[in-house]
Amino acid sequence: PLATLEQFLVQGLKYPDVHLAFEIKRHSSKENNDRCIKEIVRLLKEYKPERKQITVTSFDMDILKTLRALMPLSELNLALHGDVHPQVLWDNGIDGMAYNMNVLSAHPEWIEQARAKNMSVTCWLPSRIEDMATFIGLGVDAMTVNDVALAKKMTERVYLSK
């Protein structure tokens, strides 16, 4: 069974060293998006995760902008799945990128630009060891992967970045 957001928070917040991330999907209407966001805000205010413990992502910038209007930067990390320049994200109150590896490969300078603003950078979906090594070297904060064993092997090694 799929956990509810409340179950996810209850279980995940038992482990302060675990970073929780979840995605808000686009709904059939703005009203449904707003209803979803309102419930997420209610749960986050009830369970009070520390900012460093949680990131909320979406492919929909308007969803993230609405969420940011309800929860300030000091309370919540937000990250867009997409291909928007980091300055545009920053200007809209979004403090993270969760981009496909092909987007970051095409714009590796965005990683450095985002890091200069203390924005989070997540890369998804490197599957080859060479790709994981590249993004580790470029300084991403996290990678979303399918092969967890390979990623664990990669993170146990020492890498030098520029």
Side-chain angles (χ1 to χ4, degrees):
L2 187 62
T4 65
L5 177 57
E6 186 167 20
Q7 291 166 333
F8 174 76
L9 291 171
V10 167
Q11 288 302 311
L13 294 175
K14 290 179 182 178
Y15 307 95
D17 59 331
V18 171
H19 185 87
L20 303 173
F22 67 91
E23 178 183 338
I24 303 174
K25 298 289 189 185
R26 187 177 294 127
H27 291 76
S28 59
S29 67
K30 183 177 179 343
E31 293 76 26
N32 285 338
N33 285 341
D34 291 345
R35 192 169 47 102
C36 175
I37 292 166
K38 186 176 179 181
E39 180 62 11
I40 289 167
V41 168
R42 183 190 72 75
L43 288 168
L44 292 175
K45 289 190 181 284
E46 180 178 339
Y47 288 96
K48 297 178 176 59
E50 291 185 36
R51 183 181 190 280
K52 66 180 182 178
Q53 287 181 280
I54 194 157
T55 299
V56 179
T57 67
S58 183
F59 282 91
D60 188 318
M61 188 180 298
D62 288 333
I63 286 174
L64 295 178
K65 287 167 55 175
T66 301
L67 188 54
R68 175 58 74 223
L70 298 171
M71 293 195 76
L73 188 64
S74 62
E75 293 180 13
L76 184 63
N77 291 307
L78 297 177
L80 181 74
H81 293 294
D83 60 356
V84 177
H85 190 283
Q87 186 63 51
V88 174
L89 297 178
W90 186 255
D91 292 345
N92 283 282
I94 300 165
D95 55 321
M97 305 183 317
Y99 288 176
N100 181 282
M101 64 175 275
N102 296 324
V103 172
L104 293 176
S105 292
H107 302 285
E109 72 280 5
W110 287 3
I111 297 170
E112 192 171 316
Q113 292 168 6
R115 302 302 299 137
K117 294 187 176 303
N118 204 26
M119 295 171 68
S120 65
V121 180
T122 299
C123 173
W124 55 274
L125 208 52
S127 58
R128 297 178 320 134
I129 199 163
E130 298 85 359
D131 294 330
M132 290 181 192
T134 295
F135 291 107
I136 289 170
L138 288 171
V140 299
D141 297 296
M143 290 184 287
T144 302
V145 299
N146 286 331
D147 191 338
V148 175
L150 180 61
K152 183 169 174 27
K153 181 178 175 184
M154 290 296 300
T155 59
E156 290 171 347
R157 297 181 181 180
V158 176
Y159 295 90
L160 300 176
S161 63
K162 55 181 180 174

